[in-house]
Amino acid sequence: MFKYFFLIVTIFSQSFSNSFLNDTTYNFPDSTLIISSINFSGNKITKSFIIEKEMLLKKDSFLTYSKIKYDIGRIYSLELFNSVKIKVERDSIFAKLEVEVTERLYFLPYPILSFKDHDIKRFFYGAGFLNNNLNGEHKKINANFATGYDPFLGFEYEDPYFDTEKNILIAASFYTNIYKNKSLIALEDGESNFKERWYSGSIKIGKRENLFTDYSVIIGYSSVNVADYKKGRTVSNNGKDNFPWIKLNYKYDSRDLKEYASSGIHYRIEIAKYGVPQTNNNYTRVTYDGKYFFPFNNKSSFGARTFFSFIEGKEVPFYHKEYFGYWNRFRGHYNEVHEGENIFLINTEQRFSILGPTYFHFDKAPIEQFKDVRTAIYGTVFADFGSAWDRNQNWGKNKISGYGVGLNFLAFYSLVLRTEIAFNGERKTAPEFILGIGASF
């Protein structure tokens, strides 16, 4: 598999006259220069305050190598730029900074061609329209639809700086979907699967407290219908559940690079209340998702994730259970489905750099926003442990584990490709060969 990947990269690279973009080198004593000014260049559309709000480096503060490296990663994590550099001009004990960026393509109609739940038998297709930098203020508008397996139609809008002084965020979304049931317990009698028709809308308001911390409240309403009612498919005995819900979120994120971190902490706490005491749906889910990254040096880091989601309240329908499998595959048990009202997961991963991060510039690329490409290759060694269970079960009876090695490729527009070999922790199955998109955590 790997030889074909490198063959494609080689052919692509040779089709352009490209030049390697060396990272900017610095020649000044660390933590001695005072920043006298910060200027921005290359952001033809993006407003400068969007970049500045991601930076630790401020005017009149001391300039450090670690903050330069960190700010480059944070700015790149906005997913607005193909390359980010910070240039330093020394003047006695002062330093003038220039943040130089090359922008991505923001206004983008796009095709949808994919497989649901990582299953090639579950093909769906459609189209969408995305603008993720409206007015140069990182506002996002996304409308899309798809048919085939689990068809959907949706719209979402987000303004991360509705109030730039108070850092207030607002967002809204509406989706209608037709899902095939995912619960195997619901089909224990060998009957054919059933569909769920969803209508769901929500509004969100939040506040970014500082560079690392934000919190939000999301208020929504959902309607779930099944044509053939049986116990557990809906809480209502007529096959129709209609319920309001509210989610409270708190998030802390100090990761250096959000798409593929090597240092920092990211954790999210969510309390979701579905329904009210007067409705059939009346239960609460508490979720914690914590990710921790510890660098050993410039070439290696260790990451760990702790995830759990517990539920309390009245009867929980199948559609609000948690799953390993489908979209949330468990390495080492990749083709298995484990379900429960509660779930927890521990991931550990050693990451070591093989190449980069490296910038390439393609002079003859037909589109300006594709001329600069950031790439990197990392090797990984991982081990995972988890369990999914209902409230009337012992979590220990359902525990599973897996381990393995992988190669991760970081490509343009924040794309991460994973190739992995995973082994079942119970040593009951042959090794699994996994191809995935996005970092494992």
Side-chain angles (χ1 to χ4, degrees):
M1 178 184 295
F2 299 135
K3 65 180 180 180
Y4 295 115
F5 173 82
F6 289 115
L7 178 62
I8 292 172
V9 171
T10 301
I11 294 173
F12 177 77
S13 300
Q14 292 180 351
S15 65
F16 298 97
S17 64
N18 65 78
S19 58
F20 173 67
L21 298 179
N22 291 309
D23 288 337
T24 302
T25 56
Y26 304 103
N27 184 22
F28 61 86
D30 197 15
S31 304
T32 58
L33 302 183
I34 300 172
I35 300 171
S36 60
S37 65
I38 303 176
N39 296 313
F40 303 90
S41 63
N43 52 320
K44 301 175 183 178
I45 298 175
T46 309
K47 294 182 179 178
S48 296
F49 80 86
I50 296 294
I51 304 173
E52 192 172 10
K53 284 182 178 291
E54 298 301 316
M55 298 177 62
L56 286 175
L57 295 169
K58 304 294 182 183
K59 184 180 177 181
D60 298 327
S61 67
F62 281 102
L63 181 63
T64 68
Y65 291 120
S66 60
K67 286 184 179 180
I68 290 175
K69 180 180 178 182
Y70 184 82
D71 282 0
I72 288 174
R74 293 287 294 199
I75 296 169
Y76 189 81
S77 294
L78 287 169
E79 299 185 354
L80 298 177
F81 310 111
N82 284 323
S83 68
V84 180
K85 293 184 176 181
I86 297 180
K87 297 182 177 180
V88 179
E89 181 183 341
R90 184 175 179 179
D91 181 13
S92 184
I93 63 171
F94 298 100
K96 298 178 181 179
L97 303 189
E98 181 182 353
V99 181
E100 183 183 275
V101 299
T102 58
E103 293 185 308
R104 298 184 182 182
L105 191 65
Y106 304 131
F107 180 85
L108 186 66
Y110 58 93
I112 296 175
L113 299 167
S114 190
F115 303 100
K116 189 70 178 286
D117 303 331
H118 310 285
D119 189 335
I120 62 173
K121 298 178 182 178
R122 300 179 176 183
F123 180 67
F124 64 95
Y125 55 94
F129 165 80
L130 171 68
N131 188 332
N132 69 334
N133 198 15
L134 187 65
N135 297 332
E137 297 178 346
H138 207 193
K139 299 175 184 177
K140 176 181 177 182
I141 294 178
N142 186 31
N144 52 31
F145 75 93
T147 187
Y149 194 92
D150 284 2
F152 63 85
L153 172 68
F155 172 84
E156 56 186 355
Y157 171 81
E158 181 177 303
D159 183 353
Y161 292 107
F162 176 75
D163 186 324
T164 56
E165 292 185 1
K166 297 181 179 180
N167 293 335
I168 300 297
L169 170 150
I170 63 170
S173 68
F174 171 79
Y175 274 90
T176 177
N177 312 68
I178 299 176
Y179 292 124
K180 286 186 174 63
N181 159 67
K182 290 179 169 54
S183 173
L184 301 182
I185 297 175
L187 305 176
E188 284 184 340
D189 296 330
E191 57 192 323
S192 59
N193 207 352
F194 60 93
K195 297 179 179 180
E196 305 161 357
R197 179 177 288 276
W198 281 72
Y199 299 93
S200 190
S202 67
I203 57 173
K204 174 181 178 180
I205 184 168
K207 178 177 174 58
R208 189 176 189 183
E209 190 66 32
N210 51 51
L211 179 61
F212 306 125
T213 305
D214 62 71
Y215 43 84
S216 63
V217 56
I218 309 173
I219 300 173
Y221 191 88
S222 295
S223 175
V224 185
N225 302 297
V226 298
D228 182 18
Y229 167 77
K230 289 189 177 180
K231 183 175 175 57
R233 296 184 177 184
T234 59
V235 178
S236 303
N237 57 17
N238 61 359
K240 298 180 180 180
D241 283 349
N242 301 294
F243 53 94
W245 49 269
I246 184 171
K247 295 181 179 180
L248 305 177
N249 280 282
Y250 177 86
K251 185 179 72 172
Y252 178 90
D253 191 354
S254 65
R255 291 174 295 175
D256 56 347
L257 184 64
K258 294 181 182 180
E259 69 192 54
Y260 200 86
S262 60
S263 69
I265 297 172
H266 173 228
Y267 64 83
R268 176 180 62 90
I269 302 171
E270 179 180 275
I271 302 174
K273 179 70 172 72
Y274 297 96
V276 294
Q278 291 75 26
T279 63
N280 291 316
N281 295 71
N282 184 20
Y283 41 88
T284 301
R285 180 173 291 282
V286 178
T287 301
Y288 173 83
D289 191 0
K291 304 171 185 179
Y292 307 87
F293 301 93
F294 307 96
F296 291 129
N297 49 50
N298 290 331
K299 295 290 186 179
S300 177
S301 67
F302 176 78
R305 179 194 184 198
T306 301
F307 171 83
F308 64 77
S309 185
F310 301 149
I311 206 159
E312 186 59 49
K314 294 183 179 180
E315 177 188 357
V316 178
F318 294 125
Y319 59 76
H320 266 160
K321 285 194 171 186
E322 294 287 334
Y323 295 90
F324 290 129
Y326 303 116
W327 65 90
N328 184 29
R329 302 277 180 146
F330 194 103
R331 296 178 293 190
H333 296 260
Y334 195 78
N335 296 313
E336 301 174 14
V337 175
H338 299 258
E339 66 180 274
E341 295 170 329
N342 302 319
I343 195 171
F344 89 88
L345 172 65
I346 297 174
N347 302 108
T348 59
E349 191 166 279
Q350 181 72 37
R351 298 174 176 175
F352 52 92
S353 174
I354 297 174
L355 173 67
T358 302
Y359 287 105
F360 288 91
H361 181 74
F362 299 92
D363 288 325
K364 296 184 179 180
I367 301 175
E368 177 70 25
Q369 291 85 355
F370 287 90
K371 287 186 176 181
D372 293 307
V373 177
R374 184 183 190 274
T375 62
I377 301 176
Y378 290 86
T380 63
V381 179
F382 62 84
D384 303 329
F385 178 78
S387 179
W389 72 101
D390 287 337
R391 285 174 288 179
N392 61 355
Q393 296 176 318
N394 185 325
W395 72 271
K397 291 184 178 181
N398 300 327
K399 64 180 182 293
I400 54 176
S401 60
Y403 60 94
V405 297
L407 277 177
N408 297 343
F409 303 89
L410 279 62
F412 64 95
Y413 279 64
S414 301
L415 178 65
V416 179
L417 300 175
R418 287 185 295 115
T419 58
E420 296 170 322
I421 301 175
F423 299 87
N424 186 305
E426 292 71 40
R427 301 174 184 262
K428 294 181 180 179
T429 59
E432 301 169 342
F433 297 89
I434 301 171
L435 179 63
I437 296 177
S440 55
F441 62 92

